[in-house]
Amino acid sequence: MAVSHCFSRAASAFTAVLLFSFGCVAASHIEDQAEQFFRSGHTNNWAVLVCTSRFWFNYRHVANTLSVYRSVKRLGIPDSHIVLMLADDMACNPRNPKPATVFSHKNMELNVYGDDVEVDYRSYEVTVENFLRVLTGRIPPSTPRSKRLLSDDRSNILIYMTGHGGNGFLKFQDSEEITNIELADAFEQMWQKRRYNELLFIIDTCQGASMYERFYSPNIMALASSQVGEDSLSHQPDPAIGVHLMDRYTFYVLEFLEEINPASQTNMNDLFQVCPKSLCVSTPGHRTDLFQRDPKNVLITDFFGSVRKVEITTETINLQQDSEIMESSYKEDQMDEELMEPLKYAEQLPVAQIIHQKPKLKDWHPPGGFILGLWALIIMVFFKTYGIKHMKFIF
Amino acid sequence: MAAAMPLALFVLQLLGPGGWCLAEPQRDSLREELVITPLPSGDVAATFQFRTRWDSELQREGVSHYRLFPKALGQLISKYSLRELHLSFTQGFWRTRYWGPPFLQAPSGAELWVWFQDTVTNVDKSWKELSNVLSGIFCASLNFIDSTNTVTPTASFKPLGLANDTDHYFLRYAVLPREVVCTENLTPWKKLLPCSSKAGLSVLLKADRLFHTSYHSQAVHIRPVCRNARCTSISWELRQTLSVVFDAFITGQGKKDWSLFRMFSRTLTEPCPLASESRVYVDITNYNQDNETLEVNPPPTTTYQDVILGTRKTYAIYDLLDTATINNSRNLNIQLKWKRPAENGYIHYQPAQDRLQPHLLEMLIQLPANSVTKVSIQFERALLKWTEYTPDPNHGFYVSPSVLSALVPSMVAAKPVDWEESPLFNSLFPVSDGSNYFVRLYTEPLLVNLPTPDFSMPYNVICLTCTVVAVCYGSFYNLLTRTFHIEEPRTGGLAKRLANLIRRIRGVPLL
């Protein structure tokens, strides 16, 4: 009896242990699934970086955009996935004492322009229309690939804008503005067309928080350098260059990003704390109510870095010369050689030929719709007035 | 996938030994060259040329094997049926007066001209699409090229490559003068080179030095050329050229000594392994063994002489493929030194200090015979204080004449004379050497109109102001301080009027 009791005890203990282990496995499985749910489901990263200011004294806006460009490239997003829009050229500006450079720190410590920069939209191409076309994808068919935002529904997009702004608008190149409503509608179009998975919007202008007030599409997180009614201030001037080099908010964001590497686990809550009022003078703001995940689970590299599909293999692959193709094309050329007669170069300035050439007659085009319509109107009025019997005088 | 790999390898190895033992002649070749030309003004010009020649018919379908010829440009040629393409980006202007004639000049901004093949049906549509594609490749705003800035020249532009007939309908030309050229245009240009910027002459192409210049021009030229002397078949030639002019004063010191390190902050270490020819040419036309004006270090092994742009020039050649060129020091830093100072043996200049002392410029010049020498000085006109003007400032201000003191060789040797014996007109200047005589000449004084203020202005202002003040203020004062009372109309007979007349005379109030 004692033995059977012992045995049943052992059996129950054993089943308990078994259940417990099953439970453990199940719990860890659920935990994994839960973690998957909180991790972002994006497969590629894009960045749209816009500087909207023209003229030499707005050097700092170009430096802002280029420092974000530099960080984003360093953390892994390739040039083909970055649309960089700079409204004016500071690096090769005649007023720049060190050509081909744009500095972010005084005493010329850090050249954010670099040697490998690719600007997709520059100078007069940075307009509100082009920006909205890039975002929504409604681009003329002849636009080259590097100027398109080819995102899909699994893309995380970082949008950074800087320039001069006010309550509800951002100024483009001193001649036009984009309002917060237009921007919100553009993002809604992107959502309807499934052009993004998650979107991070950062703006560094005066009264920047007004630009994200009107967003209504899901999965958008927004940061701004100042609240409505506040100005964003610039950081430090450089006496050799003569202008302010960076804005405060982006300067501290750049310092923060320089600490990040592609494998870091820093999350968005740290980015929200980046520039307190003591350093920035303005109050940076953020908006996360449209975002589904908790910001503390969102990694910085979800937006600033890049997802790469890398398969590591230890096998060696031998590349063979495909001489078959080369041989066949060489033979075809040899056949052609005997057929053609000798060619010659054109004379660069054949004076006799030029003097005696006849100017080409312009092609005759039939009269267009307007002229035809006008004549039809005149004839109609004439007949209505005088009656059809006058036709015999015409024919 | 892992299982398929060894199978594929196995299959390839079956096919392989049939062909790969033969040494196939390569279909494309690369030549790179750098020409360094010291300019008469003390600056130095450097011209890079990278030329890839591809013996292939790009029009035929199925060309997919690109080795040295960049794929981006090859696909452009076949897709848009190009015969020639010339695209250049330039910042600055080539100053022919100071620098001499250029090898290849380009207009400021971006210039694109293209000859299409005669199989193209809609040339304007292809032109628009081509400029859009090029704007993406070179990161430039070439998409602004449209019918408003495109022309079809009829005589000035003939094909630079092979052409059997030239119907100008297939030519388009556009210039965008506002286009800026900066590192973002240089980066894709460098990526088209076979060795990129890793080896050969392209290691010298660093943006921070190349844009700190008076003139920067980079270009891409594609054209068909003869494959051999018989010229029965076509090869495609891609030339990428880059010309820069380094300014003596921008890059410091104003001395005319140059070296590769000073110009590019790099030296050459190896030729591009894919290049069949890699050379540096230095213009040593001014190098004369006797005078020793220009010294080139390290001394060249070979030279090249030819008539270039109308004059006979000599070039020193440094061949990077020749192992003797880069042997001991592991790098090649070509230095140019001017041994003798400039023709002006002595210059003394004392700048002016405002209201203290004037400018003084003294120069010792040796004038060659039968020549014209012009000396010019730029000056700015400053604004004087109003008390410093003379009563007649509209006459102008005088600049004192210049003095020319010269030793002129005389045709006949003169003997030194005794001053007491000779007439007075012969003893004005002491003669030390009979072969030349001293003479002192003066130029005309210069009359300069300075900006003259209007001195009658204060008088006019006072008159106007006083008038305005008198009219306005005076009226207001009267309105505010005078009292007004109504006067009754006078009624009454003759008697009353006479009485009032007498009362008025007396000064007594009227009835």
Side-chain angles (χ1 to χ4, degrees), chain A residues 203-209 224-235 247-250 252 272-285:
Chain A
I203 184 161
D204 188 347
T205 62
C206 302
Q207 309 195 51
S225 59
S226 54
Q227 300 293 333
V228 175
E230 284 181 346
D231 286 338
S232 273
L233 301 175
S234 55
H235 189 231
D247 279 331
R248 282 177 189 247
Y249 181 69
T250 312
Y252 291 107
F272 295 156
Q273 313 301 330
V274 150
C275 202
K277 199 171 160 81
S278 55
L279 287 175
C280 258
V281 184
S282 58
T283 320

